[in-house]
């Protein structure tokens, strides 16, 4: 099977790359062994939240202070602003809608009741200009009876810092009786599926209106609109008070919806998306990757002019650590990391963990290195790249989006 | 440039300890969505396995509600064989005995032999309302279900009478695992396959003796018999693949999936020697075309709008791309892709009265997609999906091989390789 470009990994990076290339008329395929980290998204795409322990107000400015090996530095700071703009428009063309700007972080309220700086926030959620004030006085936190993945007490405690004394109330509806029977399945996505059917919205809105009398704002878990994209909007329209959605414990409903939206966009552009298939190995010749072999397709070759490795970090098995080794499991590419296990992590869990920065080594054009030499047509994008600690910095989605667009630009050159 | 193999430590056959509890599988389980009595893939699979290993009493008969569609496995980021874990647990722990009804549904070949012998009577009888009511109340086979018609002239008989001799004229050869459906219900698909393979320059042969792949035996708990048939088939395949160097192709995605993957994973029947050369006809044809060894010529006047439905086992195999690529080669075919969703029938599952509602609820989103697509007909690789879609929508369903057979220009195609 011959494509212009084949992308390994169907997460945010792989999809961004695929959409960009397909928009430019390339015939692309994405092969992904399973669903990706977008399923855990809080609903905000981070660009840069913290540098050297300091909270960032203007990510574009603060990037200067990042170390040279950081992916943003390697993309080139002069390119960042243009790429952030492009990323935003690519996502909007795909059908997502956001608030936020690259040169000024806004804040979102986390489920712990703290304000966190971020770049782009899905319109489901509320973005705040200030981190130390909360625009409403009286808040009611509504939860579904039996839903354990929304920690209302944390939110209530968090809001106390803003001098808000929130009240927690529960809603029970017969539509959710059935899923409640099975406590392990009272999960956000199953609640969302009930709302998707369309027969719970009206009743829920009525109940919410009743319970929120006398309050200024209704706080709800973000469990609206999984396959049916309009549920959250419908609900906000029907509830009289402002609605503030907060992320529940993953899997994240807005995250999955974003994944589906991006995947559909890629397919509408003619892209081939192969899920549940693992890329096993590559055939190289003269420093080029000629073809890849996958688990499902066996001896049927997948050939392309250029390949992109967007296989994620440890969680997605883009990088693997065993007790004595750190490696990239598909091709055995060079790894930027310490092979001495002692150095991998700090026993204090919340400290900066060295292993979080490990990733595949590349040259300055983001081509993968193998035995010290660049593979001429194998580009690397997203969290499989090393050099950053996205969790600590708040830079996960930003790195994925910008390095993917950058890799796509190298290919389109 | 040798790649390093990722070998996890302490991993059981069914790798349940690879599960990171992310619950992604539960998002994509079609049963969980409509039937809250089902504990879902995570609970039934890796979580339950942990408990069952401690004490088999933790086995929950609700696991029989699993369709074995494997959509959970396709979604799982950690490569946990959730569907296999669940099916293996049913095999190992279930205490419920198959009912008479289950035996009838499971023994597709024995029932097929009897039914096709008396085809006119059986077809009329099972189509009659009173008969279906009796089947419903006595056997608990849902009365909404129309049994697929049985043919009077079995495919094997037809082949021996009318096709066998001609196959020797070709230089290249394949064996054909036709499966019960082609033999007893729909020989036309087998004839279509022979038409295409002959046009491509291949003689088509039957295996020395094929037995039903056993998928329905497995799902109905008749494991001993399934294992016996599996061993028989592997030997029959060996005679073709190893002894005669003839690959085996099939037109049924479920049969081929069962033979390639369920034999070793669920029945413990080894198949390494035959696995790689047992495949679907569409994949076989695709490979030839992809490698530049075959060109297909099509009739000029073929004009149809077709939607392709991805059966669950095709989704798991990842092979629908072969069927769809072949279909898209036909000039005059307007192609509509349906979002991959389970149709709900899952072999004999949907025939059972107690599953009827779940089955139809699962399929509903797919049926809606199909009705909206305004196509001439639906294409799919699975015979039970065909029954389900034809019963539940206003559309007819054809196999990609039959569509190719209708659109192909046999003489022009033969000329391309004869030159
Ligand atoms: C739990 C969690 C929550 C997060 N929340 C946020 C957030 O709220 N905001 C934010 O900005 N960032 C967040 N991040 C960071 C963010 O997820 C990542 O920056 C980004 O999503 C990574 O995308 P990716 O495409 O590079 O990798 P992934 O999303 O990990 O995708 C990699 C894909 O490659 C596939 N793959 C791997 N190996 C193979 C192979 N051999 N063959 C085929 N396919 C393969 C995997 O199956 C996977 O689908 C979060 C990360 C995690 C882990
Ligand atoms: S998707 Fe896989 S890893 Fe996640 S809970 Fe299910 S089985 Fe476990
Ligand atoms: S095989 Fe299908 S029905 Fe069974 S648990 Fe997995 S997704 Fe659900």
């Amino acid at each position: 099977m011959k494509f212009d470009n084949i992308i390994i990994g169907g997460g945010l990076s792989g999809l961004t790359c695929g959409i960009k290339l397909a928009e430019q008329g390339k015939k692309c395929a994405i092969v992904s062994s399973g669903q990706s980290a977008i399923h855990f998204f809080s609903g905000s795409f981070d660009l840069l939240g913290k540098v050297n322990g300091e909270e960032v107000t203007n990510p574009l400015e603060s990037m200067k202070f990042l170390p040279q090996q950081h992916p943003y530095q390697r993309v080139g700071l002069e390119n960042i602003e243009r790429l952030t703009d492009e990323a935003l428009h690519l996502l909007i063309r795909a059908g997502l809608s956001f608030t936020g700007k690259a040169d000024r972080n806004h804040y979102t309220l986390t489920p712990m009741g703290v304000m966190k700086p971020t770049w782009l926030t899905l319109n489901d959620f509320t973005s705040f200009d200030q981190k130390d004030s909360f625009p409403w006085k009286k808040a009611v936190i509504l939860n579904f009876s039996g839903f354990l993945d929304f920690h209302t007490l944390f939110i209530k405690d968090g809001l106390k810092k803003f001098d808000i004394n929130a009240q927690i109330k529960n809603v029970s509806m017969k539509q959710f009786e059935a899923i409640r029977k099975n406590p392990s399945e009272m999960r956000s996505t199953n609640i969302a599926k009930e709302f998707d059917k369309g027969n719970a919205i009206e009743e829920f809105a009525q109940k919410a209106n009743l319970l929120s009398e006398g309050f200024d704002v209704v706080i709800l878990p973000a469990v609206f609109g999984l396959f049916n994209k309009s549920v959250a909007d419908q609900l906000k329209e029907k509830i009289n008070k402002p609605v503030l959605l907060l992320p529940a414990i993953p899997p994240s409903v807005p995250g999955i919806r974003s994944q589906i939206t991006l995947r559909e966009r890629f397919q509408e552009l003619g892209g081939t998306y192969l899920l549940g298939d693992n890329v096993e190995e590559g055939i190289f010749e003269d420093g080029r990757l000629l073809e890849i072999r996958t688990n499902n397709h066996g001896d049927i070759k997948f050939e392309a002019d250029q390949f992109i490795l967007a296989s994620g970090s440890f969680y997605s098995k883009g990088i693997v650590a065993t007790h004595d080794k750190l490696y990239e499991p598909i091709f055995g590419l060079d790894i930027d990391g310490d092979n001495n296990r002692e150095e991998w992590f700090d026993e204090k869990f919340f400290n900066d963990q060295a292993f979080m920065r490990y990733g595949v080594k590349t040259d300055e054009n983001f081509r993968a290195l193998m035995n010290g030499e660049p593979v001429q047509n194998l580009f690397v994008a997203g969290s499989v790249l090393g050099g950053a600690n996205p969790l600590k910095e708040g830079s996960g989605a930003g790195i994925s989006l910008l390095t993917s667009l950058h890799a796509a630009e190298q290919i389109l050159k | 440039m040798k790649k390093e193999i990722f070998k996890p430590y302490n991993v059981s056959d069914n790798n349940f300890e690879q599960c990171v509890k992310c619950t992604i599988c539960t998002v994509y389980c079609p049963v969980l969505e409509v039937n809250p009595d089902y504990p879902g893939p995570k609970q039934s699979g890796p979580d339950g396995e942990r408990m069952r290993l401690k004490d088999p009493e933790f086995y929950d008969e609700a696991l029989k509600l699993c369709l074995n569609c494997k959509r959970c496995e396709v979604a799982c980021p950690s490569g946990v064989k959730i569907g296999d874990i669940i099916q293996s647990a049913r095999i190992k722990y279930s205490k419920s005995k198959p009912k008479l009804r289950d035996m009838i549904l499971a023994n597709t070949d024995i029932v097929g032999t009897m039914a096709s012998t008396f085809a006119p009577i059986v077809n009329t009888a099972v189509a009659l309302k009173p008969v279906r009511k009796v089947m419903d109340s006595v056997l608990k086979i849902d009365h909404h279900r129309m049994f697929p018609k049985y043919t009077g002239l079995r495919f094997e008989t037809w082949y021996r009478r009318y096709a066998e001799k001609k196959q020797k004229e070709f230089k290249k050869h394949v064996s054909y695992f036709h499966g019960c459906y082609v033999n007893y219900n729909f020989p036309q698909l087998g004839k279509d396959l022979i038409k295409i393979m002959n046009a491509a320059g291949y003689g088509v042969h039957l295996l020395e003796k094929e037995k039903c792949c056993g998928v329905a035996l497995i799902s109905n708990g008749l494991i001993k018999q399934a294992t016996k048939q599996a061993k028989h088939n592997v030997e029959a395949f060996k005679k073709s693949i190893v002894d005669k160097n003839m690959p085996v192709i099939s037109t049924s995605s479920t049969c081929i999936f069962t033979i390639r993957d369920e034999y070793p994973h669920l029945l413990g029947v080894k198949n390494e020697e035959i696995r790689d050369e047992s495949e679907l006809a569409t994949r076989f044809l695709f490979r030839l075309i992809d490698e530049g060894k075959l060109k297909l010529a099509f009739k000029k006047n073929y004009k149809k709008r077709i939607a392709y439905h991805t059966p669950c086992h095709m989704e798991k195999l990842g092979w629908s791309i072969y069927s769809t690529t072949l279909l898209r080669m036909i000039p005059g075919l307007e192609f509509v892709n349906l979002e991959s969703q389970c149709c709900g029938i899952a072999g004999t599952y949907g025939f059972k009265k107690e599953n009827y509602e779940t089955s139809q609820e699962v399929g509903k989103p797919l049926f809606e997609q199909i009705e909206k697509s305004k196509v001439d007909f639906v294409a799919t690789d699975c015979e039970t999906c065909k029954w389900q879609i034809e019963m539940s929508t206003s559309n007819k369903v054809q196999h990609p091989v039959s569509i190719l057979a209708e659109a192909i220009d046999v003489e022009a195609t033969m000329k391309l390789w004869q030159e």
Side-chain angles (χ1 to χ4, degrees), chain A residues 128-261:
Chain A
F128 301 90
D129 287 337
Q130 307 291 332
K131 69 171 292 188
D132 37 25
S133 68
F134 189 73
W136 300 284
K137 293 229 149 43
K138 290 163 93 185
V140 60
I141 307 169
L142 296 186
N143 194 15
F144 299 90
S145 300
F147 183 46
L148 304 176
D149 288 348
F150 191 53
H151 295 164
T152 45
L153 278 173
F154 285 144
I155 304 166
K156 187 178 154 90
D157 276 354
L159 287 176
K160 279 196 186 128
K161 289 191 285 277
F162 302 99
D163 277 331
I164 310 283
N165 193 7
Q167 263 194 46
I168 300 168
K169 295 184 182 178
N170 280 322
V171 181
S172 58
M173 277 168 62
K174 71 169 188 323
Q175 282 90 332
F176 303 108
E177 292 291 291
I179 30 177
R180 260 196 87 179
K181 271 202 290 186
N182 188 343
S184 67
E185 296 313 332
M186 187 69 182
R187 308 295 303 248
S188 52
T189 48
N190 289 326
I191 299 177
K193 284 176 185 175
E194 283 301 320
F195 278 101
D196 275 1
K197 292 179 195 160
N199 51 14
I201 302 178
E202 194 64 46
E203 188 183 334
F204 181 76
Q206 277 174 16
K207 294 206 158 140
N209 280 334
L210 235 86
L211 293 169
S212 61
E213 259 170 47
F215 293 93
D216 309 326
V217 62
V218 187
I219 298 177
L220 296 173
V223 295
F224 306 104
L226 187 64
F227 303 119
N228 177 347
K229 293 173 185 161
S230 67
V231 175
D233 288 341
Q234 286 181 46
L235 200 69
K236 284 185 189 173
E237 220 163 81
K238 291 191 166 46
I239 296 182
N240 303 329
K241 300 281 159 58
V243 172
L244 175 60
L245 295 183
L246 294 188
I249 303 237
S252 145
V253 171
I256 298 173
R257 190 197 321 132
S258 305
Q259 164 92 28
I260 295 173
T261 308

Side-chain angles (χ1 to χ4, degrees), chain A residues 1 39 193 251 263 297 299, chain B residues 23 27-28 287 290 322 339:
Chain A
M1 226 171 281
H39 280 57
K193 284 176 185 175
R263 196 248 304 145
H297 296 286
D299 69 325
Chain B
T23 72
V27 182
Y28 296 93
R287 184 187 296 100
D290 199 43
Y322 305 128
E339 178 80 18

Side-chain angles (χ1 to χ4, degrees), chain A residues 17-48:
Chain A
C17 224
I19 290 171
K20 167 84 186 171
L21 291 165
E23 282 181 340
Q24 298 298 313
K26 296 282 184 189
K27 186 181 171 206
C28 297
I30 294 179
V31 188
S32 194
S33 33
Q35 294 290 4
S36 77
I38 313 183
H39 280 57
F40 304 99
F41 250 56
S42 61
S44 289
F45 291 61
D46 302 334
L47 185 56
L48 190 61

Side-chain angles (χ1 to χ4, degrees), chain A residues 35 40 315 317, chain B residues 15-16 18-28 41-43 45-47 72-73 75-82 85:
Chain A
Q35 294 290 4
F40 304 99
Y315 164 76
K317 300 202 174 73
Chain B
N15 74 343
F16 73 90
Q18 293 281 21
C19 170
V20 298
K21 314 286 168 216
C22 66
T23 72
I24 282 182
C25 50
T26 62
V27 182
Y28 296 93
K42 176 169 169 282
Q43 184 66 31
D47 286 4
C72 47
E73 288 185 15
C76 172
S78 305
V80 179
K81 295 188 202 126
I82 313 159
I85 296 174

Side-chain angles (χ1 to χ4, degrees), chain A residues 308-325:
Chain A
I308 295 115
L309 182 72
S311 50
S313 187
F314 294 98
Y315 164 76
S316 295
K317 300 202 174 73
I319 312 276
V320 175
T322 58
H323 69 104
D324 58 348
K325 239 194 315 206

Side-chain angles (χ1 to χ4, degrees), chain A residues 41-60 62 72 99-111 113-122 125-132 162 390-398:
Chain A
F41 250 56
S42 61
S44 289
F45 291 61
D46 302 334
L47 185 56
L48 190 61
K50 249 185 190 166
V51 177
N52 301 329
E54 299 270 326
E55 203 163 283
V56 167
T57 2
N58 179 346
L60 297 180
S62 299
Y72 289 151
T99 46
K101 284 190 179 137
D103 59 2
R104 189 156 174 266
N105 274 335
H106 62 265
Y107 296 88
T108 53
L109 190 66
T110 71
V114 239
M115 291 287 189
K116 190 182 99 72
T118 187
W119 170 31
L120 298 173
T121 293
L122 284 172
F125 297 94
T126 308
S127 53
F128 301 90
D129 287 337
Q130 307 291 332
K131 69 171 292 188
D132 37 25
F162 302 99
L391 222 56
K392 205 85 193 157
E393 297 166 359
S395 59

